Amino acid sequence: QKEVEQNSGPLSVPEGAIASLNCTYSDRGSQSFFWYRQYSGKSPELIMSIYSNGDKEDGRFTAQLNKASQYVSLLIRDSQPSDSATYLCAVNTNAGKSTFGDGTTLTVKP
Amino acid sequence: DTGVSQDPRHKITKRGQNVTFRCDPISEHNRLYWYRQTLGQGPEFLTYFQNEAQLEKSRLLSDRFSAERPKGSFSTLEIQRTEQGDSAMYLCASRTTIPGAQGTEAFFGQGTRLTVV
């Protein structure tokens, strides 16, 4: 079992819909959680960070964290074709290094 | 540009040659990380530094790989006797650490894409 699990997708949603991306992790000592967006051939770009249970909203993005269930999610509202990318979930322990999932590929269809 | 900078962006080398990559982190960031990413996979941790000290190396990291951060600023990653399996994107990330804080975000450079032929 990988330390950080994501559905590989592809996830396809129509433009304007809500895209829901999920991530589970195995280390209960994990403290920091991040979502990165990665376009093909490019490096990961940080879009959200979350440290406490609950929801955190930033524009069209909402991150949700449930430490008891070891679950992190990312909601993208009003999805746009430019949101089409691979979304990487990253989890940090005390050491501060990130363990990444293999990403979920999102396609937003016009 | 005050982001993380990596050089070169692309490197093609013949099997058996040595290669060296450079990373310049965001200037106030004391932690620097190296990752490797292959197609369809997430970034895989290689090693990290706090200032000039190398604090952890992945158990998966071959002895052919070595990294330095001599003055606590830029870092180099060297791969000796490259193999075709070393072909990947090599990513550098940096962040700052705040005592007592939960954590801070890491920011990635553009990556160095290595192709071993």
Side-chain angles (χ1 to χ4, degrees):
Chain A
Q1 181 186 4
K2 289 179 68 72
E3 293 181 53
V4 179
E5 297 265 11
Q6 296 183 251
N7 291 326
S8 61
L11 173 66
S12 181
V13 300
E15 184 174 357
I18 295 175
S20 177
L21 305 162
N22 304 315
C23 172
T24 57
Y25 60 94
S26 60
D27 186 347
R28 285 195 172 273
S30 301
Q31 297 190 338
S32 309
F33 307 87
F34 306 95
W35 284 98
Y36 289 84
R37 177 175 62 200
Q38 187 171 30
Y39 294 113
S40 181
K42 303 295 185 182
S43 64
E45 173 193 9
L46 180 71
I47 54 173
M48 287 290 285
S49 60
I50 187 166
Y51 304 101
S52 303
N53 281 329
D55 295 359
K56 179 181 178 182
E57 185 174 321
D58 184 1
R60 296 187 296 113
F61 299 97
T62 298
Q64 299 174 317
L65 173 61
N66 183 326
K67 289 186 178 180
S69 300
Q70 295 173 246
Y71 176 88
V72 195
S73 67
L74 180 70
L75 299 177
I76 307 174
R77 290 180 299 282
D78 188 25
S79 296
Q80 301 298 308
S82 59
D83 294 327
S84 298
T86 296
Y87 289 81
L88 297 164
C89 173
V91 174
N92 282 22
T93 60
N94 273 335
K97 72 181 186 190
S98 293
T99 300
F100 285 83
D102 288 334
T104 298
T105 300
L106 172 67
T107 300
V108 180
K109 296 186 174 181
Chain B
D1 186 352
T2 57
V4 180
S5 178
Q6 291 187 246
D7 183 70
R9 296 290 301 278
H10 303 274
K11 178 71 176 178
I12 300 174
T13 191
K14 292 183 178 180
R15 188 175 52 187
Q17 297 295 304
N18 299 343
V19 294
T20 300
F21 310 141
R22 176 179 170 125
C23 171
D24 286 89
I26 294 171
S27 59
E28 63 269 26
H29 285 185
N30 57 347
R31 286 218 178 154
L32 185 149
Y33 302 82
W34 286 99
Y35 292 87
R36 175 174 61 192
Q37 187 177 26
T38 53
L39 195 63
Q41 306 291 314
E44 173 191 31
F45 170 76
L46 295 179
T47 188
Y48 87 95
F49 294 83
Q50 177 151 316
N51 299 314
E52 66 276 8
Q54 187 173 19
L55 296 188
E56 187 175 346
K57 288 176 62 173
S58 168
R59 289 169 292 176
L60 303 175
L61 199 61
S62 159
D63 289 345
R64 297 183 296 105
F65 288 70
S66 62
E68 294 183 338
R69 194 183 183 196
K71 298 182 180 178
S73 55
F74 73 92
S75 175
T76 58
L77 177 69
E78 180 182 18
I79 309 174
Q80 296 182 327
R81 305 181 303 281
T82 52
E83 301 172 356
Q84 286 187 323
D86 297 331
S87 296
M89 172 84 89
Y90 289 84
L91 295 163
C92 175
S94 71
R95 62 190 282 263
T96 189
T97 57
I98 303 170
Q102 285 182 300
T104 56
E105 298 91 347
F107 296 92
F108 281 87
Q110 316 95 312
T112 294
R113 183 169 297 283
L114 173 66
T115 302
V116 182
V117 297

